Amino acid sequence: MAGITRRQALVGAGAAIAAGTSVMPRRATAAGELTVWWTQGFYKAENDAVITWMADWEKKNNTKVNLTIMNGPDVITKLIAAMQVGDVPDVVHTVTGDRFLVPRAAWNDQLEDVSEVVDSQKNEFTETALISGRLYNAKQKKSSYYGVPTKASSLMNSVWLPLLEEAGFAATDMPATQDKFYDFFQTVQDKLRSKGKRIFGLGYSMAAKEADAGNLFHQFLVSYGGAGIVTPDGKLNIDDPAVRKAATTSLERLTTPFKKNYVPPGAINWGDVDNNNAFFAKQIVMTPNATISIAAAQMDKPDLYFKEILTRGVPMGNDGKPVPSVLAIAPTIIPKGSKNVDGAKALLRDFIQPANLNAYLKETRARYLPVMASIVKNDPYWTDPKDPHRQVAVDMGLIKPTVPWWMSYNPAYSAVLSEQIWPQAEANITQRNMTPDQATEEAAKRIKQLFEQFQK
């Protein structure tokens, strides 16, 4: 079929990336065509799944699809540039767009209202998915659906069982509560170091770039009682004593192990893939990760997948009570200026039909979760007791309580994430000798300034 083979999609992405942000992927200019940008997967199966689905849809609908697959940060950078020059694609799927771009683009009236697409499956979507897709448009003075919920993810913890066993522990020795769980891996490191192993117990991502460090900090923030940092009506609540204490505790708990050499020194420079690489190299015993990609990438290696890699969800709070997962909802959007809005909406309506969405997510090896509870309920694949990873993710993202990211309440928090305010606070502690209290105060000052820019 024309224009959408795996080679063309992936080579197109590579050319766009190599050329830099000033060169845009070729866009549709004629009726009956769609230009689609899609975030590149962590492994081949993810890319193959979208290429296959788009090829099938193209044949069935007699609409040419020009698909470009590119890495996550480039999708956002190029889309911002495309919006500035007024030459945008028709459909964009951006995995981290819910955090770094989409809420502010909706605020600035740069996205098409996709309510009719969301409404076609509204009864299927989870509450958190709907909250994440409903955003405020400052020009139109209204909230509406500007993102179509596509897939979800929450923080997981990947652990090497052989390294636990080498240190004299079993999987059942891992504690169930927040501080004890993460402190346990410091003990594991001490045991392994006593055997001459140059291994780090904790694979915390701590770089002020991309998404992983922010994901980790904010799950810690919730675990320590800071979920109310922004209220559902969009008000910043950072001066609340409980929120301030949670932020300070989170910074302290993340930076102290780093300063004590329980986290690799290079973690302050890690991109989102680097903790995965350190894990596979067995430089670290465990790492928090936003999906089950670490295990899923090894699905064709049964010993690794079923016997050696463990997946654990968010620990319970120090009080022994369940902690909600911060659930990221990857959106698919239609930028304003699309030359084929009707075609884009038709494609998305088909894509989010439960059967289609389920098939796509399964083809991606279930790295991401469904945004529809019925998919999990109706397909035993998602809760197969023989699978040691998938059911843990389902439990965290679809069964136990979840909270949406706070930019769903106010796009100012998207600016907080884009400026990497909290990872910068970690750097102020680890590299500039601030105390956690001082770093929290400096972060709070900047966050207040950002919120002043987004007044309804």
Side-chain angles (χ1 to χ4, degrees):
M1 76 140 243
I4 194 169
T5 64
R6 179 186 305 119
R7 173 176 173 78
Q8 287 168 318
L10 295 180
V11 169
I17 292 166
T21 59
S22 62
V23 179
M24 299 296 152
R26 187 173 68 87
R27 66 175 316 282
T29 57
E33 292 190 14
L34 286 170
T35 292
V36 178
W37 294 359
W38 206 269
T39 298
Q40 183 174 323
F42 182 67
Y43 41 78
K44 182 175 177 291
E46 288 189 86
N47 300 326
D48 288 350
V50 68
I51 292 168
T52 300
W53 193 90
M54 293 291 175
D56 185 59
W57 189 88
E58 179 182 64
K59 291 177 183 177
K60 290 178 179 178
N61 291 274
N62 195 32
T63 300
K64 184 178 180 181
V65 177
N66 300 305
L67 173 66
T68 300
I69 297 175
M70 63 184 87
N71 70 44
D74 278 343
V75 173
I76 292 174
T77 300
K78 292 178 183 297
L79 183 56
I80 292 172
M83 288 175 170
Q84 289 173 343
V85 301
D87 186 23
V88 298
D90 301 296
V91 175
V92 180
H93 175 64
T94 167
V95 169
T96 58
D98 62 319
R99 280 151 283 176
F100 296 127
L101 173 64
V102 174
R104 284 178 291 166
W107 174 277
N108 292 324
D109 195 33
Q110 293 174 301
L111 302 178
E112 290 287 337
D113 189 322
V114 290
S115 293
E116 63 184 271
V117 177
V118 175
D119 286 346
S120 71
Q121 300 295 337
K122 194 169 184 178
N123 292 336
E124 294 285 346
F125 287 117
T126 65
E127 180 182 4
T128 300
L130 290 173
I131 290 173
S132 298
R134 190 170 178 82
L135 304 166
Y136 188 75
N137 183 322
K139 183 176 180 179
Q140 302 293 333
K141 303 294 183 184
K142 68 171 186 175
S143 293
S144 193
Y145 291 106
Y146 292 99
V148 178
T150 306
K151 56 193 181 188
S153 61
S154 63
L155 198 72
M156 300 282 110
N157 292 288
S158 296
V159 181
W160 277 119
L161 178 58
L163 293 179
L164 289 189
E165 293 175 338
E166 189 173 350
F169 298 105
T172 53
D173 291 322
M174 287 187 288
T177 56
Q178 173 79 9
D179 288 353
K180 290 180 180 179
F181 178 81
Y182 292 107
D183 287 349
F184 169 75
F185 295 99
Q186 299 182 39
T187 302
V188 173
Q189 175 178 315
D190 291 340
K191 296 282 188 180
L192 293 173
R193 291 287 179 97
S194 71
K195 295 173 177 285
K197 300 284 186 178
R198 178 66 177 174
I199 294 174
F200 294 89
L202 294 165
Y204 290 164
S205 294
M206 302 185 70
K209 63 180 179 180
E210 300 187 26
D212 275 357
N215 292 340
L216 180 58
F217 170 84
H218 285 94
Q219 186 59 63
F220 270 49
L221 182 72
V222 172
S223 295
Y224 291 117
I229 189 169
V230 181
T231 59
D233 61 359
K235 294 180 180 177
L236 181 63
N237 196 34
I238 199 166
D239 287 329
D240 179 274
V243 172
R244 186 64 70 101
K245 181 179 179 181
T248 302
T249 302
S250 299
L251 291 175
E252 188 276 327
R253 291 290 304 178
L254 288 166
T255 58
T256 298
F258 177 87
K259 292 193 292 185
K260 290 184 175 181
N261 204 36
Y262 287 108
V263 178
I268 59 174
N269 296 311
W270 278 356
D272 285 352
V273 72
D274 291 319
N275 66 311
N276 299 53
N277 292 336
F279 185 86
F280 291 133
K282 292 192 175 180
Q283 297 171 357
I284 51 180
V285 179
M286 68 83 67
T287 187
N289 204 46
T291 68
I292 59 168
S293 62
I294 285 177
Q298 306 303 314
M299 195 176 286
D300 56 351
K301 300 176 182 177
D303 284 345
L304 288 179
Y305 187 80
F306 288 100
K307 299 178 182 179
E308 296 189 16
I309 299 175
L310 303 175
T311 297
R312 293 292 183 269
V314 173
M316 291 187 292
N318 288 331
D319 58 3
K321 296 179 180 179
V323 172
S325 293
V326 183
L327 194 66
I329 306 293
T332 305
I333 58 175
I334 302 174
K336 272 203 169 178
S338 161
K339 296 291 180 66
N340 193 352
V341 174
D342 290 342
K345 289 182 177 180
L347 182 148
L348 291 179
R349 277 195 298 270
D350 287 345
F351 189 75
I352 64 168
Q353 290 181 24
N356 291 342
L357 198 53
N358 184 34
Y360 162 74
L361 292 171
K362 289 168 67 174
E363 286 297 317
T364 67
R365 297 186 178 183
R367 177 186 174 194
Y368 287 93
L369 292 168
V371 288
M372 301 172 176
S374 64
I375 290 178
V376 171
K377 181 179 179 181
N378 296 331
D379 189 341
Y381 169 88
W382 292 98
T383 53
D384 182 357
K386 296 179 181 178
D387 190 287
H389 310 285
R390 196 180 307 135
Q391 60 182 334
V392 179
V394 168
D395 192 44
M396 288 290 103
L398 283 159
I399 296 174
K400 291 183 177 178
T402 62
V403 294
W405 278 85
W406 298 272
M407 66 287 299
S408 303
Y409 302 144
N410 191 316
Y413 214 81
S414 178
V416 171
L417 297 181
S418 291
E419 289 196 12
Q420 300 283 345
I421 301 296
W422 292 112
Q424 290 286 359
E426 294 174 7
N428 283 338
I429 297 169
T430 60
Q431 301 168 53
R432 300 176 188 94
N433 296 318
M434 282 191 185
T435 67
D437 284 323
Q438 291 170 333
T440 301
E441 178 61 28
E442 182 156 313
K445 288 179 181 177
R446 179 56 183 155
I447 291 171
K448 290 176 184 178
Q449 292 172 351
L450 292 173
F451 267 73
E452 290 175 358
Q453 300 173 20
F454 292 86
Q455 299 294 325
K456 293 184 180 179

